[in-house]
Amino acid sequence: MANLADIRARLAAQETKKTGTGQRTQSDNAIYPHWNMEEGTTATIRFLPDADSKNTFFWVERQIIKLPFNGVKGDPNAKQVIVQVPCVEMYGDNCPILAEVRPWYKDDTLKEMANKYWKKRSYLFQGFVRQNPIGNDVTPANPIRRFVISPQIFTIIKASLMDPDMENIPTDLLNGTDFNVKKTSKGGYADYSTSNWARKESALTEAEQAAIEAHGLFNLADFLPKKPSESELRVIKEMFEASVDGKPYDNDKWGAYYRPYGLEAPAGAASAPHVTETTTLNVSAKKSVVEEMDEEESTKASEPVSVPKSTSSDKAQDILAMIRSRQQKA
């Protein structure tokens, strides 16, 4: 198990690098939906270590790319849908989508399009919910919950870990520190910027320690998306190109690999070992696209997402053709 010094060294190494110097399991109520908290309430969480002793941190990073489609081929009544695919940079490989998108940032007219297809990060933790403001939330038989943390909250967690005043690793069973997730609003959107660590350290209760003994800890990497195979990478690239071109989602071509939640697989696809049904969001106008979408992407919504159509099919085709033309001339 890594200690606080190990975490600080690893975080410092990552910052230096930045400045230029199994299979996913089915979602269930083990995920604590802190985004469902009422505004002005606080959830107190006690993070626990990863079961994987090789993981320096007590979290794993998820990188997802969202591909919006103008409906579903063959269904004139289908709304626009989003298919979520894993970004293989999460596994240390080169991502074919980001390889094409990165040059777009050099052109001011393409930055909005680049942001649309850029990878979305979130962070998976585990632990106990010690204070729960969500009245209808049911704690599962295994009280060790998983938490999908947005970049906004993660920045607060990471900054505090580098603070020399924090003497013990927050996941220490006897001298750990609780984390308070505080939900407010800013500009009409959910805001968690006032979240913070508790001022005092505390030990786990006997019941919490017993739960760890009885259930064990999660290996957090088990809940990351499955690493795509070569054939799946080709499908991902094909879907990306179709999305940019403004085409509808083709379930017959791609449904055996990745598909929007709520859409049934094509005949014969259910038995394929590489089937990955991606989840979608039920996004309301009151939710922050930056915060709520990143947090909810690991949970199942009741219906496919409907996203505003910001780019027409003709415009999308023109953009993709222009980009590729520039790359060929370079």
Side-chain angles (χ1 to χ4, degrees):
M1 185 182 300
N3 57 31
L4 192 55
D6 293 334
I7 289 178
R8 285 172 175 163
R10 184 75 177 271
L11 287 174
Q14 288 184 351
E15 287 302 314
T16 300
K17 183 177 180 180
K18 286 180 182 178
T19 54
T21 33
Q23 175 68 36
R24 176 179 173 177
T25 61
Q26 184 177 359
S27 177
D28 54 31
N29 69 333
I31 296 175
Y32 179 67
H34 63 272
W35 47 86
N36 287 338
M37 293 164 48
E38 294 291 335
E39 182 181 329
T41 60
T42 300
T44 301
I45 294 170
R46 180 58 167 268
F47 294 125
L48 294 173
D50 189 353
D52 182 5
S53 60
K54 295 180 181 179
N55 183 8
T56 304
F57 306 129
F58 50 96
W59 65 84
V60 292
E61 181 178 291
R62 301 167 69 249
Q63 299 180 16
I64 301 295
I65 295 175
K66 299 176 181 180
L67 304 176
F69 289 91
N70 291 325
V72 178
K73 184 177 180 180
D75 185 354
N77 298 318
K79 297 179 180 179
Q80 292 183 324
V81 296
I82 287 180
V83 176
Q84 296 183 120
V85 297
C87 173
V88 294
E89 286 193 356
M90 179 167 48
Y91 308 102
D93 295 340
N94 294 322
C95 176
I97 294 180
L98 297 192
E100 183 142 18
V101 169
R102 278 193 173 92
W104 299 4
Y105 284 101
K106 297 178 182 179
D107 188 326
D108 289 340
T109 64
L110 298 176
K111 286 183 178 179
E112 183 178 353
M113 178 71 79
N115 289 333
K116 183 178 181 180
Y117 290 100
W118 194 252
K119 60 185 177 183
K120 306 297 187 293
R121 299 175 188 267
S122 58
Y123 303 85
L124 185 62
F125 292 72
Q126 66 180 311
F128 295 109
V129 180
R130 307 188 98 178
Q131 175 181 303
N132 188 356
I134 305 176
N136 61 354
D137 177 67
V138 178
T139 302
N142 178 1
I144 300 174
R145 312 292 290 270
R146 296 191 297 276
F147 308 99
V148 182
I149 299 298
S150 68
Q152 184 187 46
I153 300 176
F154 181 74
T155 298
I156 299 170
I157 294 172
K158 178 180 173 181
S160 298
L161 290 173
M162 300 300 287
D163 187 341
D165 289 339
M166 181 174 281
E167 298 180 353
N168 295 302
I169 189 169
T171 56
D172 188 277
L173 303 186
L174 299 179
N175 298 295
T177 307
D178 294 343
F179 186 76
N180 299 311
V181 178
K182 300 181 179 182
K183 184 175 183 179
T184 59
S185 65
K186 186 176 183 180
Y189 296 132
D191 183 79
Y192 301 94
S193 61
T194 58
S195 300
N196 61 1
W197 292 98
R199 293 186 178 182
K200 295 183 179 181
E201 299 172 343
S202 61
L204 293 183
T205 66
E206 291 184 3
E208 289 169 337
Q209 294 186 50
I212 296 175
E213 287 291 329
H215 300 284
L217 297 171
F218 294 115
N219 186 327
L220 295 175
D222 290 343
F223 300 93
L224 293 176
K226 181 179 73 70
K227 182 178 179 179
S229 64
E230 287 298 322
S231 61
E232 289 167 338
L233 278 177
R234 287 193 294 270
V235 169
I236 288 174
K237 183 67 181 298
E238 185 177 305
M239 288 194 301
F240 162 69
E241 293 173 350
S243 173
V244 176
D245 282 343
K247 296 178 180 178
Y249 174 80
D250 192 330
N251 196 38
D252 290 334
K253 292 177 65 176
W254 307 316
Y257 298 88
Y258 303 94
R259 58 185 180 269
Y261 177 67
L263 188 65
E264 294 184 2
S271 60
H274 51 270
V275 167
T276 302
E277 183 168 337
T278 59
T279 60
T280 60
L281 314 178
N282 188 6
V283 182
S284 71
K286 295 182 180 179
K287 291 181 178 177
S288 163
V289 173
V290 175
E291 289 300 318
E292 303 289 52
M293 288 183 71
D294 285 349
E295 292 170 345
E296 292 186 351
E297 65 189 6
S298 71
T299 64
K300 291 187 176 180
S302 59
E303 60 184 61
V305 67
S306 175
V307 295
K309 186 177 180 180
S310 58
T311 305
S312 69
S313 177
D314 290 341
K315 185 177 179 182
Q317 292 174 354
D318 292 342
I319 289 174
L320 195 58
M322 178 180 64
I323 293 167
R324 289 173 177 164
S325 175
R326 291 177 183 175
Q327 291 176 335
Q328 289 173 358
K329 292 178 181 179

